[in-house]
């Protein structure tokens, strides 16, 4: 997903992404064999297609050893792995750097999601915060805990009628 | 024994003689526009008109096909979090707007909406307190009454885990109305049930078609009015340019 976020600014304003759930039967044997060999104990994979700028990506979500995984494939090749990790599992030095940055930006906040992007190479951390009276923010840090960028999420009202 | 039997027969027959439930069929057209005012504040404008499509005569009373209700509801929304919103509004409602027996209503309301994820959709709870000023055409006054409403709503995308452009979604709700004080026909005075299918048009918003079933206690004798409506709504949401 993060890979897609980086792509977005380069995409024409007329394009949009579409995400649709697809059956496991539609997945190539190459992707299937990768999943079965890397995550042998997973019983159920959920697959989605995501089309950005006419390019079809395959996203696969599943739970493995109590962690939530999201994998992104392009032309049957794995391009990104996201895994939810507890904030406390980030190595101490990097975690301190990240905390310092967050404490510097906000007096009080709550970490509602922490994801490790690409586990084995070019590691990044994607951290979602809920800040009182300010809303939701997504922070991106590199493997050394250095700040890359932050995005503020726009909160839209809950839709009702009458 | 004979007297008891006569009494029972008369008693059991009374409802069929006196029940005056009314059943109308029609359509409801609505426009639902939301947009940002400030970081945490949004406005919403909801306009609708309810049409009774068929004339009918019930117990010697003629109910002509006509516009039953005009509804104009601007509101202010405070988005505390994406799952918790607060709103307030002044709403204007005109019943039988095109007929001589029209009546106006001025209404203030405050509401809280709390939503939580449920399967791949969203379950939304809405509690609204209304202060109503309904015109009495005989006295010319607008006596005060109040009402509490609770709505349970579920909506979910039908193609994938999120709603994207050119995709369908499902929206359904049930709402209970409780009249608290002032002139009222019953405490539990109204119930609305809705189920509809929507389609995301992208920049043009969303279009939604559904069936709305309204049950209303229409008099002190607890006679009911049933409204079977085909609802067509256009939903637009202007977004803030960051």
């Amino acid at each position: 997903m993060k890979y897609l976020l980086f792509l977005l600014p380069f995409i024409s304003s007329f394009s949009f992404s579409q995400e649709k759930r697809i059956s496991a039967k539609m997945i190539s044997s190459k992707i299937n064999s990768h999943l079965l060999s890397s995550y042998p104990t997973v019983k159920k994979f959920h697959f989605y297609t995501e089309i950005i700028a006419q390019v079809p990506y395959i996203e696969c979500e599943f739970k493995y050893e109590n962690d939530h995984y999201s994998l992104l494939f392009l032309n049957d090749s794995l391009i990104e792995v996201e895994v939810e990790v507890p904030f406390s599992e980030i190595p101490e030095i990097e975690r301190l750097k990240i905390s310092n940055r967050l404490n510097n930006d906000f007096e009080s906040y709550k970490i509602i999601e922490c994801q490790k992007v690409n586990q084995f190479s070019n590691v990044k951390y994607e951290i979602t915060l809920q800040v009182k009276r300010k809303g939701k923010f997504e922070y991106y840090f590199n493997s050394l805990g250095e700040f890359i960028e932050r995005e503020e999420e726009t909160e839209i009202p809950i839709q009702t009628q009458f | 024994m004979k007297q008891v039997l006569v009494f029972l027969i008369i008693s059991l027959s009374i409802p069929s003689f006196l029940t005056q439930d009314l059943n109308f069929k029609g359509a409801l057209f609505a426009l639902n526009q939301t947009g940002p005012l400030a970081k945490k504040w949004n406005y919403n404008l909801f306009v609708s008109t309810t049409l009774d499509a068929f004339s009918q005569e019930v117990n010697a009373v003629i109910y002509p096909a006509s516009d039953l209700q005009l509804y104009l509801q601007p509101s202010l929304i405070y988005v505390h979090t994406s799952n918790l919103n607060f709103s307030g509004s002044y709403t204007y409602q005109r019943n039988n707007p095109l007929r001589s027996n029209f009546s106006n209503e001025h209404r203030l309301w405050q509401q809280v909406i709390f939503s939580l994820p449920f399967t791949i959709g969203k379950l939304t709870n809405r509690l609204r307190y209304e202060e109503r000023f309904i015109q009495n055409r005989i006295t010319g006054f607008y006596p005060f009454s109040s009402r509490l409403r609770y709505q349970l709503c579920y909506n979910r995308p039908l193609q994938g885990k999120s709603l994207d452009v050119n995709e369908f979604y499902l929206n359904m709700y049930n709402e209970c109305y409780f009249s608290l004080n002032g002139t009222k026909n019953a405490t539990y005075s109204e119930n609305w049930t809705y189920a509809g299918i929507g389609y995301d048009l992208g920049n043009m918003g969303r279009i939604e078609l559904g069936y709305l079933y309204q049950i209303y206690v229409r008099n002190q004798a607890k006679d009911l009015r049933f409204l079977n409506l085909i609802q067509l709504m256009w939903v637009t949401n202007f977004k803030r340019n960051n």
Side-chain angles (χ1 to χ4, degrees), chain B residues 15-24 56-59 63 213 215-219 221-227:
Chain B
S16 62
F17 287 134
L18 297 184
T19 296
Q20 293 189 357
D21 293 347
L22 299 174
N23 210 322
F24 297 113
Q56 59 179 311
E57 187 178 330
V58 183
N59 296 327
Y63 297 91
Y213 183 55
I215 306 171
Y216 168 67
V217 181
R218 67 185 190 90
N219 58 25
K222 307 285 185 282
D223 292 328
L224 302 174
R225 183 196 71 181
F226 302 100
L227 254 181

Side-chain angles (χ1 to χ4, degrees), chain A residues 16-21 48 59 61 70 130-137 152 154-162, chain B residues 28 32 34 39-40 42 46 48 73 82 85 113 126 128 149 159-162 164-165 167 171 206 208 231 233 242:
Chain A
F16 50 83
S17 75
Q18 281 188 285
E19 194 176 69
K20 284 188 172 57
R21 185 150 187 188
Y48 303 88
E59 190 185 349
E61 291 190 352
S70 175
Q130 179 74 51
V131 184
K132 207 173 181 181
R133 286 189 287 275
K134 287 187 175 170
K136 261 186 197 171
F137 292 84
E152 186 175 353
T154 308
E155 288 176 322
I156 56 167
I158 300 163
Q159 192 74 56
T160 59
Q161 306 174 9
F162 290 98
Chain B
L28 190 153
N32 192 347
T34 308
K39 197 176 167 192
K40 288 274 188 180
N42 285 261
F46 186 93
S48 75
Q73 177 191 276
S82 53
N85 292 188
I113 307 180
R126 185 180 83 179
R128 179 183 292 183
R149 296 164 54 167
Q159 295 164 274
K161 57 183 177 177
S162 62
D164 297 307
V165 179
E167 287 189 352
N171 189 18
R206 302 197 303 273
E208 201 174 305
Q231 180 179 306
M233 184 165 66
N242 289 312

